[in-house]
Amino acid sequence: MARTRFIGDPGLTARMTTVMFLLGGLFVVLIVSLMAVGGRGLAPIIGIVGIGIAVYQWWRSDTVAMKAMRAREVTPEQAPELHAMVDRLCVLADMPKPRVGVADTAMPNAFATGRSPDRAVVVVTTGILKTLTAEELEGVLAHELAHVAHRDVLVMTVASSAGIVAGMVTQGAQYGAMFGGNRRDGNSALPVWLMMLLVSIVVYAVSFVLLKLLSRYRELSADRAGAYLTMKPQALASALQKISGEMNAIPDRDLRASQPMNAFFIAPAVKGVSMRTLTSTHPSLEQRLEQLARIQAELGRPTG
């Protein structure tokens, strides 16, 4: 992770390294398996496409995320209080100041993205600005800046490439199997497409689970780092409770539209769903509040 005043997290570093290594291995397995089952002409194309997707995600992650949320970058003149808060936290954390953005949506949320601390952007929604107090918003921003300092946003973005490529191969194999099955003399091609389908499904499933496990841990890590930086864990706990409560008032249509960004939000765009599942992007609210309460007790401050 970058050298800042955020507390270090060897567990997060180890998990990010392991996930990247395993996903890289899965990508190699996918390519080798394609070659082994007869897709020698297709394997190099998949390899090039996979590398291209990873590079594109690395290079354009901030732009893609902001477009997905229809967010706009704001200047200190346009959002003086928000910029002042980010300025204070960056000085406190001894880290470069990221760009600041605002997404015009009633859903209370925030996220950070970017390929490096120098190219990062922290985005908040108009909904969260209306929902939280200044102290609570500071806790949320500290959480997002911790993601930037930990560089886990970059790892999550690039690591998702393996799942994207596997998904592409899965779809291609399904179409290939259908096409081969409809040809009179194409029966011999069916096992090749079937093997491609099975391998790509396995790669996709494993990458999906690995990313969800990493996503949940990195949220707990950012909660810890942000709470220790501001020394106000109860403010972040209060913010998480408000955000989760307000999510129930957001129309289902708006929540569905935002769900592709769930892994990057401070709280998932869902209502009334338990986060204690293998496929969830975030730890449960109860788990996060328990951790923040322990930090509050450790700092010797009463919980509100």
Side-chain angles (χ1 to χ4, degrees):
M1 62 177 283
R3 292 181 178 275
T4 66
R5 293 198 182 102
F6 282 109
I7 60 170
D9 193 330
L12 178 62
T13 302
R15 283 168 171 79
M16 290 193 297
T17 303
T18 301
V19 166
M20 290 296 287
F21 177 80
L22 291 177
L23 289 178
L26 282 173
F27 185 71
V28 172
V29 168
L30 177 61
I31 300 301
V32 172
S33 298
L34 289 177
M35 297 179 66
V37 300
R40 294 182 182 275
L42 184 61
I45 297 175
I46 296 297
I48 293 172
V49 169
I51 294 172
I53 290 175
V55 171
Y56 178 81
Q57 299 231 106
W58 168 74
W59 188 258
R60 300 282 292 174
S61 58
D62 54 340
T63 303
V64 171
M66 289 190 72
K67 284 184 178 179
M69 287 300 297
R70 294 187 176 90
R72 69 187 190 281
E73 187 174 346
V74 292
T75 64
E77 292 73 27
Q78 293 170 321
E81 294 180 0
L82 182 60
H83 269 273
M85 194 173 292
V86 174
D87 283 332
R88 289 196 300 272
L89 289 170
C90 287
V91 170
L92 188 61
D94 190 21
M95 65 180 291
K97 180 185 177 182
R99 290 172 292 145
V100 179
V102 174
D104 292 315
T105 172
M107 179 183 65
N109 232 313
F111 67 91
T113 185
R115 65 177 182 265
S116 68
D118 294 323
R119 288 286 303 174
V121 58
V122 173
V123 178
V124 296
T125 66
T126 51
I128 204 172
L129 293 175
K130 296 175 182 177
T131 301
L132 303 185
T133 66
E135 194 172 69
E136 291 165 346
L137 182 60
E138 181 183 70
V140 167
L141 290 172
H143 169 105
E144 297 303 334
L145 290 173
H147 281 312
V148 174
H150 291 163
R151 296 179 184 264
D152 57 52
V153 176
L154 173 62
V155 173
M156 285 288 295
T157 302
V158 175
S160 65
S161 302
I164 293 174
V165 173
M168 291 169 55
V169 176
T170 299
Q171 291 182 338
Q174 290 173 331
Y175 286 125
M178 292 169 59
F179 179 73
N182 289 331
R183 292 184 306 174
R184 293 180 181 177
D185 59 348
N187 292 332
S188 60
L190 184 58
V192 173
W193 289 108
L194 182 59
M195 287 299 296
M196 290 177 60
L197 179 63
L198 292 175
V199 171
S200 59
I201 288 176
V202 170
V203 171
Y204 179 83
V206 174
S207 64
F208 180 84
V209 172
L210 287 175
L211 285 175
K212 292 299 180 290
L213 293 174
L214 176 59
S215 179
R216 292 203 295 275
Y217 185 88
R218 82 186 189 99
E219 292 301 329
L220 289 173
S221 179
D223 282 349
R224 283 194 298 271
Y228 278 117
L229 182 74
T230 62
M231 303 294 285
K232 298 175 182 177
Q234 188 59 31
L236 178 56
S238 177
L240 291 174
Q241 289 175 304
K242 282 187 179 181
I243 292 170
S244 298
E246 289 291 323
M247 210 67 76
N248 292 323
I250 304 300
D252 291 338
R253 178 188 58 190
D254 295 341
L255 293 179
R256 285 195 298 269
S258 302
Q259 282 181 359
M261 287 290 294
N262 264 353
F264 299 97
F265 287 146
I266 189 171
V270 295
K271 50 171 83 171
V273 177
S274 172
M275 292 292 103
R276 298 181 183 275
T277 64
L278 187 63
T279 58
S280 63
T281 56
H282 290 62
S284 67
L285 177 61
E286 292 79 8
Q287 188 177 0
R288 299 176 77 174
L289 295 179
E290 287 172 4
Q291 175 181 251
L292 291 170
R294 289 195 298 270
I295 297 174
Q296 189 87 4
E298 179 185 329
L299 295 176
R301 302 186 179 194
T303 55

